[in-house]
Amino acid sequence: MLDIAPLVRVHVDALLAAQIDMGVCDANERNAPVGKPVDMSAPHLPKVAGIDSTVPSPAHTTAPVPPVIPTAAPLPGIPGEMIQDRLASWVSDLTTLHELTERLVTTGSLDEALREVLRAGAALVGARRGMAVLEPADGLGPASTVGLGLAHAELGTIETVPRSATSYGRILDGLPEPAGSRTVPDPIAVPDLLGEAELDPRHREVAARLGYAASYALPLATEAAGKLGAVVWLYDEPAEPVERQRHLVGLYGRYATEHLARLLELERARVQVATVAEELLPSRLPRVPGVQLAARHRTGPQGGGDWYDALPLPEGALGLAVGSVSGTGPSALAAMGRLRASLRAYAVMEGEDPVAVLSDLELLLRLTEPARSATALFAYSEPKQRKLVLAGAGHTPPLIIGDHRTEFVETSLSAPLGMLACWEAPSIEIAPAPGETVLLYTDGLLRRTGDPMDRAFARLHAAAASVPKADRTDPGAIADHVLRTLLPEGLDTAGAGEDVVLLAARFE
């Protein structure tokens, strides 16, 4: 067996790299042995964090070399056990940080991440309440304020205090960053807020009203990400975090800032994509006698190619269209814009024949964008006669919603545009009764439910059938009810990647 000196019999291989970052080398140096074993012929392990990890190799023919006994006076306890106790404390801290960062990384939106930072930081510094302010230094937004243990009105009350009088305000409005550099502000601790003689009177009044007596503010900033905001925790009694708590929350804050920077970049990209998509779609729906129109649209975070259109045609007719282009991102948005513009041109020339419109669109797509496919549905409507002639290319069937029936329109089966050398499918004619609504939609609405398509169709039918009678006179109310029923968490759910389009036409 190896005769290992008890002064170095400590399993630290998994912790030494972490303890360097935790600032613990000084503790190891204080507890390091005075002497060390005699050098042997075996290779020496490297020294890490001030601990001599040299271990004698096993002796096969000679007796093991006894360790050198320190000549200093013995300590009250065994140094190895003291190191193990300290390492146990570090293991606990590292485990806590690991658990908190694992929870943070699961957040998918800025507000959700800020709330998690508040909760985790409150546990680390021993506070009960707090607020986080997101305010990127580049001024491009978005800006947000969330609270922990503070109601919306209480957050507003705190914001009435002059920013220069608050610790988080001094972090946010600190000195301008020098050109080409990103400085990180220091945390600000106020251990006895009401005891400060120079405290702003308004701040004193608000603190007394809300019942907090101390604060600890941490910047959400790193050299790589820049200054994104600040978070402040509030204590009910005079207090401040100890050095160990400050160190832990500082490590957590740096990681949280990098995570927030990634979410901020994604949010800005999503807003830009949504803005482009909205600009490519109709800015307003036309007013045509005999029909009421309403549309609901939401672009996914990656930018899909779902679209809709409603355009007035000669002799009081109306063209209705919905479609979806394959792919996501800017290229899909550009293709969607080209496809919609082409369909409008074909609809003006030969809109009374939906099959001809989609045939021309199929030919155009096949010649100009052979690597892309699309679905489309086009309906030529004469509102005064309450008549629709429609044709679809791989698209989901419309839904008729009325007082006496809720049913899908049986359209002819067809492959999507761009999938066949020559596309043609017969059109069908439907005659909605007075007060009935024809609902056009894209398959993104069905996919957002997370159910198989047959189950999603059944849920859509049930949602349409459950529209309250009072809402059936308003196509917008019908579309909203269907959305609320199918997607109770809303259209802006984090992680929802599918576009959603609804176009409702109610015939008088």
Side-chain angles (χ1 to χ4, degrees):
M1 295 181 59
L2 296 178
D3 187 8
I4 302 175
L7 296 180
V8 295
R9 192 179 300 162
V10 181
H11 300 285
V12 297
D13 54 335
L15 301 170
L16 292 176
Q19 72 180 18
I20 293 174
D21 186 60
M22 299 286 287
V24 299
C25 298
D26 54 343
N28 293 320
E29 292 176 357
R30 287 196 300 270
N31 295 317
V34 176
K36 63 180 181 179
V38 179
D39 292 342
M40 305 298 289
S41 59
H44 288 219
L45 296 176
K47 288 185 177 182
V48 181
I51 297 179
D52 188 354
S53 55
T54 304
V55 178
S57 62
H60 299 287
T61 58
T62 61
V65 177
V68 177
I69 305 300
T71 58
L75 297 176
I78 300 176
E81 293 181 355
M82 294 175 61
I83 294 178
Q84 288 179 339
D85 291 341
R86 182 65 62 89
L87 288 178
S89 175
W90 295 331
V91 168
S92 175
D93 292 343
L94 290 173
T95 302
T96 300
L97 284 176
H98 175 74
E99 293 175 352
L100 294 178
T101 52
E102 284 292 307
R103 285 167 49 183
L104 178 63
V105 79
T106 61
T107 58
S109 67
L110 288 171
D111 281 359
E112 184 183 2
L114 289 173
R115 290 188 176 90
E116 180 58 34
V117 170
L118 278 172
R119 286 192 292 266
L124 291 174
V125 303
R128 188 174 62 89
R129 294 180 291 176
M131 63 181 291
V133 180
L134 181 68
E135 193 174 295
D138 57 14
L140 301 179
S144 177
T145 301
V146 300
L148 172 69
L150 295 171
H152 184 73
E154 293 173 324
L155 289 175
T157 301
I158 294 176
E159 291 177 339
T160 62
V161 178
R163 280 170 59 118
S164 60
T166 64
S167 54
Y168 76 89
R170 292 197 293 272
I171 291 175
L172 295 175
D173 301 335
L175 295 176
E177 298 177 355
S181 67
R182 287 181 171 180
T183 58
V184 179
D186 294 327
I188 300 177
V190 185
D192 188 3
L193 193 67
L194 299 179
E196 285 196 355
E198 299 180 357
L199 185 66
D200 184 275
R202 178 58 182 166
H203 197 179
R204 187 184 304 275
E205 177 187 347
V206 169
R209 180 189 304 177
L210 299 183
Y212 63 89
S215 67
Y216 184 73
L218 182 74
L220 295 174
T222 63
E223 293 182 359
K227 189 191 302 180
L228 301 184
V231 57
V232 57
W233 291 279
L234 306 175
Y235 296 88
D236 297 340
E237 302 291 339
E240 64 177 316
V242 299
E243 185 61 30
R244 171 175 165 270
Q245 292 174 316
R246 295 190 186 198
H247 189 67
L248 288 177
V249 78
L251 292 174
Y252 179 79
R254 289 198 291 272
Y255 181 86
T257 301
E258 297 297 334
H259 181 66
L260 288 169
R262 291 189 291 269
L263 292 179
L264 181 64
E265 184 178 355
L266 291 175
E267 177 64 18
R268 288 176 174 176
R270 188 196 69 79
V271 172
Q272 292 174 354
V273 167
T275 301
V276 173
E278 293 297 329
E279 291 296 325
L280 291 174
L281 295 174
S283 57
R284 57 182 295 272
L285 295 173
R287 294 183 179 181
V288 178
V291 65
Q292 295 177 327
L293 300 175
R296 299 291 183 268
H297 172 259
R298 185 70 82 251
T299 302
Q302 296 181 345
D306 288 14
W307 56 278
Y308 69 93
D309 205 350
L311 65 156
L313 297 174
E315 299 180 359
L318 176 68
L320 302 174
V322 292
S324 178
V325 175
S326 62
T328 58
S331 63
L333 290 174
M336 177 263 283
R338 292 191 294 268
L339 192 70
R340 173 177 170 265
S342 301
L343 185 140
R344 289 175 71 92
Y346 295 143
V348 171
M349 293 186 294
E350 47 192 3
E352 66 279 0
D353 186 357
V355 171
V357 171
L358 294 185
S359 296
D360 293 341
L361 204 60
E362 154 70 23
L363 178 61
L364 177 70
L365 191 68
R366 182 157 41 90
L367 294 177
T368 60
E369 302 186 56
R372 193 178 298 278
S373 63
T375 66
L377 186 146
F378 178 72
Y380 177 82
S381 171
E382 296 177 353
K384 292 183 179 180
Q385 284 74 36
R386 292 192 302 277
K387 183 179 73 172
L388 280 90
V389 180
L390 59 90
H395 204 77
T396 51
L399 184 62
I400 298 179
I401 305 171
D403 293 334
H404 304 291
R405 62 171 175 170
T406 300
E407 61 186 23
F408 290 102
V409 177
E410 295 185 2
T411 56
S412 56
L413 296 177
S414 170
L417 300 174
M419 299 292 287
L420 296 175
C422 180
W423 177 90
E424 184 172 350
S427 61
I428 63 169
E429 181 176 326
I430 60 176
E436 288 187 333
T437 298
V438 178
L439 185 66
L440 311 180
Y441 55 94
T442 59
D443 59 358
L445 174 66
L446 304 175
R447 297 184 188 279
R448 281 261 192 134
T449 64
D451 294 331
M453 292 303 287
D454 56 346
R455 172 63 178 163
F457 273 114
R459 288 186 57 187
L460 174 59
H461 184 277
S466 66
V467 175
K469 188 173 182 179
D471 291 341
R472 300 196 176 207
T473 59
D474 182 1
I478 293 175
D480 291 337
H481 177 85
V482 170
L483 287 174
R484 285 195 305 269
T485 306
L486 279 182
L487 309 174
E489 296 182 357
L491 285 173
D492 297 319
T493 304
E498 297 287 344
D499 290 8
V500 173
V501 165
L502 284 89
L503 178 60
R506 181 182 181 275
F507 290 86
E508 299 175 352

